[in-house]
Amino acid sequence: MDLRAINEVDFRNLGEAPGVVKGGIIILIIAALVGAGYWYFIKDQMAELERGEARELALRAEFEEKQRRAANLPALEAQLEEMERMFASLLQLLPSTAEIPSLLVDISQTALSVGLEIELFQPRPEANRTFYAEVPIQLRVRGNYEQLAEFVSGVSEMPRIVTVHDVFIRPGEADTDLLMDALARTYRYLEGS
């Protein structure tokens, strides 16, 4: 059939049109119905499917991350227990409020036991930090080099943490006499921090 036959088709009486024209019209109607069905029904469902797939990927990644963490949980719990044990043992190195006066006596006794002359021993007000308090003690002692070294060494060997800062040594009045100014600090754990 040639194309001139299509021009001769009477659209008011399609029942008598050739089979090719009828088939073409049926195909166009089916294509229009499929297109309308896609536009009104399937398009929204496809967008919803894409959102669902994206959400599935995000949930899968979240699940894998949580699964990885869960797999490491026993190791992390063991590590936490070890850290808590270490923290408890380190806390024992810090003096309590009740132990501060005896610690001050121990520092002064250490100076006297090595033969130093104490010119200044002045506890300062404690300074609160995030979870601990600093207890500073201003010191000025007089003695020879060996006595100063023994004093600092003795303070560092105390059973509680005491650190020596801002050390300034200058000659004293005698030839072997030295004067040392320093700031000793001990630390106290603040309960409830």
Side-chain angles (χ1 to χ4, degrees), residues 126-146:
E126 68 179 37
N128 289 344
R129 304 292 184 227
T130 52
F131 62 91
Y132 67 94
E134 251 178 39
V135 182
I137 305 124
Q138 188 68 46
L139 298 171
R140 182 176 301 130
V141 292
R142 180 184 300 275
N144 63 33
Y145 180 80
E146 289 80 16

Side-chain angles (χ1 to χ4, degrees), residues 79-91:
Q79 185 180 12
L80 178 63
E81 287 176 15
E82 178 63 24
M83 289 172 60
E84 286 173 347
R85 279 194 297 276
M86 288 174 55
F87 182 68
S89 67
L90 290 174
L91 274 182

Side-chain angles (χ1 to χ4, degrees), residues 98-176:
E99 294 174 312
I100 296 290
S102 65
L103 184 62
L104 297 177
V105 170
D106 289 346
I107 294 171
S108 65
Q109 289 298 321
T110 302
L112 294 174
S113 70
V114 297
L116 289 176
E117 179 185 329
I118 300 174
E119 290 190 2
L120 176 67
F121 189 90
Q122 182 180 22
R124 299 277 173 106
E126 68 179 37
N128 289 344
R129 304 292 184 227
T130 52
F131 62 91
Y132 67 94
E134 251 178 39
V135 182
I137 305 124
Q138 188 68 46
L139 298 171
R140 182 176 301 130
V141 292
R142 180 184 300 275
N144 63 33
Y145 180 80
E146 289 80 16
Q147 291 169 326
L148 295 176
E150 283 182 54
F151 170 68
V152 172
S153 177
V155 166
S156 71
E157 292 173 356
M158 291 184 145
R160 301 294 188 204
I161 296 175
V162 179
T163 57
V164 179
H165 303 268
D166 305 330
V167 176
F168 180 71
I169 300 175
R170 61 183 183 279
E173 296 166 3
D175 288 339
T176 59

Side-chain angles (χ1 to χ4, degrees), residues 3-63:
L3 291 177
R4 282 180 275 150
I6 294 175
N7 288 336
E8 295 174 5
V9 172
D10 182 15
F11 287 99
R12 286 179 285 223
N13 189 9
L14 286 177
E16 293 183 10
V20 174
V21 173
K22 290 179 187 178
I25 291 174
I26 290 174
I27 290 174
L28 284 174
I29 291 172
I30 290 173
L33 289 173
V34 168
Y38 174 81
W39 182 262
Y40 289 109
F41 299 110
I42 297 175
K43 181 180 171 189
D44 292 337
Q45 289 178 354
M46 292 295 284
E48 187 176 330
L49 177 64
E50 287 176 9
R51 285 191 300 270
E53 288 173 345
R55 184 162 164 26
E56 177 191 7
L57 291 176
L59 289 173
R60 186 180 303 268
E62 181 181 342
F63 172 76

